[in-house]
């Protein structure tokens, strides 16, 4: 078996682990658990597990471990992105009118990640048995970007709805620039987090970036998103 070693990527993953762990501890300590808190806690827990896999994968020089962890990471990745999208439906206000849409969205996400899991499983099977495979890593990344775009649109709809409710006579552009009312302002902050995630991951997808730049963009995007998410929750959760 190989040896354990640390590199710059390992240190980055450890920093992300600290951020995710802080988020889990804060949400778990809240006495009142609303739908928004439960979905946020689910996001934080799955994020912590996913980053743990990444940390181990980047710190253990043993090829089979990398394959196994990459396959297993589909599960926390699915939980993370699904939880974040569902969080957008109930934050800052849980609207019963969106319950059916959120439920159908959850089904779509589960089906999408089942397909991703089957796809990855087949390609690893083909690789180990010297069969033809059709591996394209950007397919998995595409599913992630689609979910972040979906969450961004949902947060934007929350902003638009609650800002128009608070200030129906304001110009349309003013709702986006200076939304009226605390719910709309909370939705604007969540929208900015999804924006960071979309820009970071879409950059990797569109420009086919690999190597050190790939790791750097992922690390910076994740750390910014986790810290911003923590600040949003501190400011906007009841």
């Amino acid at each position: 078996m190989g040896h354990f070693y640390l590199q710059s990527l390992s240190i980055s993953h450890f920093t992300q682990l600290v951020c995710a762990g802080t988020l889990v501890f804060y949400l778990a300590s809240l006495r009142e658990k609303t739908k928004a808190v439960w979905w946020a806690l689910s996001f934080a827990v799955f994020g912590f597990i996913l980053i743990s896999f990444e940390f181990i994968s980047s710190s253990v020089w043993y090829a089979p471990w990398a394959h196994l962890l990459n396959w297993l990471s589909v599960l926390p990745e699915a939980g993370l992105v699904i939880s974040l999208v569902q969080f957008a439906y109930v934050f800052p206000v849980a609207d019963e009118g969106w319950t059916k849409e959120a439920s159908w969205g959850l089904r779509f996400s589960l089906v999408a990640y089942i397909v991703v899991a089957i796809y990855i499983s087949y390609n690893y099977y083909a690789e180990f048995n010297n069969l033809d495979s059709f591996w394209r890593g950007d397919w998995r990344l595409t599913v992630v970007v689609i979910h972040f775009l979906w969450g961004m649109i949902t947060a934007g709809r929350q902003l638009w709805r609650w800002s128009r409710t608070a200030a129906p006579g304001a110009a349309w552009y003013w709702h986006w620039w200076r939304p009226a009312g605390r719910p709309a302002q909370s939705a604007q902050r969540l929208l900015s987090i999804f924006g960071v995630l979309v820009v970071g991951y879409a950059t990797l997808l569109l420009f086919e970036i690999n190597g050190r730049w790939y790791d750097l963009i992922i690390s910076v995007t994740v750390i910014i998103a986790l810290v911003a998410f923590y600040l949003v929750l501190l400011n906007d959760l009841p």
Side-chain angles (χ1 to χ4, degrees), residues 119 135-143 204-205 208:
Y119 167 72
W135 173 257
R136 284 183 60 87
D138 55 352
W139 288 8
R140 179 175 175 179
L141 191 59
T142 299
V143 175
L204 301 175
L205 181 64
E208 298 183 356

Side-chain angles (χ1 to χ4, degrees), residues 178-189:
R178 291 283 182 86
R182 182 173 178 178
Q185 293 166 3
S186 300
Q188 185 187 49
R189 286 187 276 271

